[in-house]
Each structure stands twice: as C-alpha cells, then as structure tokens.
Amino acid sequence: FEKYENNPVIRHFPIDGSSDFRDPKVTEIDGTFYMVCGSGKDGIGKILLYSSTNLLEWHYVGVLFEGKEFGSVLECPDFFPFQDKYILMFSQMGRSTHSTMFVYGDFDGKNFRPISFHTPEIGPHFYAPQTFSDALGRRIVIGWLYSWQKKVDEGVEYAGALSIPREIKIRDGKISTFPVSEAANLLTTTDELVQVEDRKIIIRPAEFDSPLEYSGDINSVDILRDTKTIELFINKGEASFSYWI
C-alpha cells in the first residue's frame, strides 16, 4: 500500500451530518462508486451518500436515508444492488434485539425509496454486519458477535467473534440470511441450549442471559454451535438468533 498524499479524501462532515460521522462503505454501481457513511444530527439518525468516479475525489450527494425512529445515529451502513432493487443495511445503537435493519427499495443514483423493512436477525449479539458479492454472484453477509455487558475472560487476547458467512436471499417477500452452502456440514438440528415446541422456540444461551423466545410457524431449525458462539436459523434464515456466549 502507498498512502495517498492528499488524505483525507473527505476532510469534514457535511452540513447534514455531525461529528458522529463514520463507517464508510463503498460500492460500485454502473461504473460509479457510491459511499455511504453513518451519522446523525439533532437526534435524527442518517445515512449520508457520496459519489466518485476515481475513489479519490468525492462528491456529497445528500441524505440517502434518515429517521428518528431508528435512533440518533445510524452505524455501519452498507448499500448494494440486489436483484432488480437495492438493499440498505445499517445498525441501530442501544437495541438489545433487532439491531440490524435491512431496507429494500429503489435507487435512481441520488434518491433511495424504501419499499419494505426487514429485521431477520433477532438475537442480541449480531451487530455491524457488512456484505460482499462473491464469484458465484451471491451476496454474503458477516456480522460481529459481541456483548458489551459480558466480561472478557481473564488473560485472553480476543473479544467477540464473527458470524458464519451467510447468503442473503428474498423468500416470499422477506429478506433472509442463511449460512453459505459450504458450511452445511457444520449445522445441526438440536442443541442443549435450544428447546423446540410446536410453534415456539426457547433459546437459553447461558445462565446469566435471559432466554429469548420465537413464536410462529416453524418448518425447520438449523443450529451452528462453536466454542464461543451459537447461531440459530429458523425456516432457512427467515429468522435467526446469534449469541457470543
């Protein structure tokens, strides 16, 4: 790497933002680079949009998305084409569950028009996910599993973990995330921390965590259990629960 002599490429947050201005993510769409940044102003969370033709000179386009109901600052945005529409993804601070929002909509190069809102991840420890498109054309998302309330084990050199790579799909009008096919051999259908009833699932990840419940039609349950994590997927990713345990 060679450090660009004219860094920083954006020297100050725009008038629509504030000092809470962070988490840039760049996506190329039809030959133009678009960058979304998380921000907020006057108690209203915002996603700010920039464009560039060369990745060095950036033009501020405007507010791509905003809403007080999502929090005062929106974090870790991602924005990408999906099928014939677009998905805007961001994280909402201070929420114990449903913290990652997926917004499905239209984009004309400047304005984003939401069509539907989705929170397939229900668990408390899935935050700041980011995506990429792989060689097979799949849109893969990986999230950060962590809890600010948990004390890190003494002497360790880690805190938190990353989720299993998941493929984003739309099933019956709903956004779902499910482990990539390469991880299929890691999945099980039962676990001592998961209780499955006719129309209800109870997850008890640890003695000091309050159990979470899911109610609804249950056609399938897939579980990935690792040393410090458990990820549970209902109906092939229609809903998921992720824990750093």
Side-chain angles (χ1 to χ4, degrees), residues 79-91:
F79 183 62
F80 50 89
F82 193 81
Q83 298 179 2
D84 60 343
K85 302 290 183 181
Y86 293 81
I87 291 178
L88 171 65
M89 190 173 67
F90 57 86
S91 291

Side-chain angles (χ1 to χ4, degrees), residues 41-198:
K41 187 175 183 179
D42 300 328
I44 301 174
K46 299 173 182 280
I47 303 297
L48 307 178
L49 180 67
Y50 288 79
S51 66
S52 175
T53 58
N54 58 11
L55 296 175
L56 301 177
E57 299 167 318
W58 290 92
H59 167 69
Y60 176 58
V61 178
V63 178
L64 183 70
F65 180 87
E66 63 182 348
K68 186 176 183 178
E69 64 269 35
F70 304 105
S72 59
V73 177
L74 305 185
E75 291 194 304
C76 307
D78 198 353
F79 183 62
F80 50 89
F82 193 81
Q83 298 179 2
D84 60 343
K85 302 290 183 181
Y86 293 81
I87 291 178
L88 171 65
M89 190 173 67
F90 57 86
S91 291
Q92 305 169 91
M93 295 190 300
R95 301 204 178 197
S96 59
T97 60
H98 301 84
S99 63
T100 299
M101 178 66 70
F102 293 75
V103 188
Y104 186 66
D106 290 312
F107 178 62
D108 62 7
K110 182 178 180 180
N111 301 298
F112 177 65
R113 185 178 67 84
I115 296 174
S116 57
F117 296 79
H118 308 263
T119 52
E121 172 59 49
I122 302 173
H125 299 161
F126 185 91
Y127 200 77
Q130 295 291 286
T131 75
F132 61 92
S133 181
D134 74 353
L136 300 177
R138 300 176 298 183
R139 177 59 62 166
I140 309 299
V141 59
I142 299 176
W144 173 39
L145 308 186
Y146 187 68
S147 170
W148 295 104
Q149 284 71 45
K150 291 184 184 297
K151 183 178 179 180
V152 178
D153 296 339
E154 185 176 355
V156 301
E157 297 180 352
Y158 62 84
L162 295 178
S163 72
I164 196 72
R166 308 175 183 181
E167 183 178 359
I168 297 176
K169 291 185 177 182
I170 293 183
R171 302 176 184 274
D172 299 325
K174 299 178 182 179
I175 290 179
S176 66
T177 68
F178 193 72
V180 293
S181 57
E182 293 87 341
N185 64 313
L186 302 175
L187 302 178
T188 62
T189 57
T190 61
D191 190 275
E192 62 183 357
L193 302 180
V194 179
Q195 177 183 343
V196 181
E197 300 177 358
D198 288 340

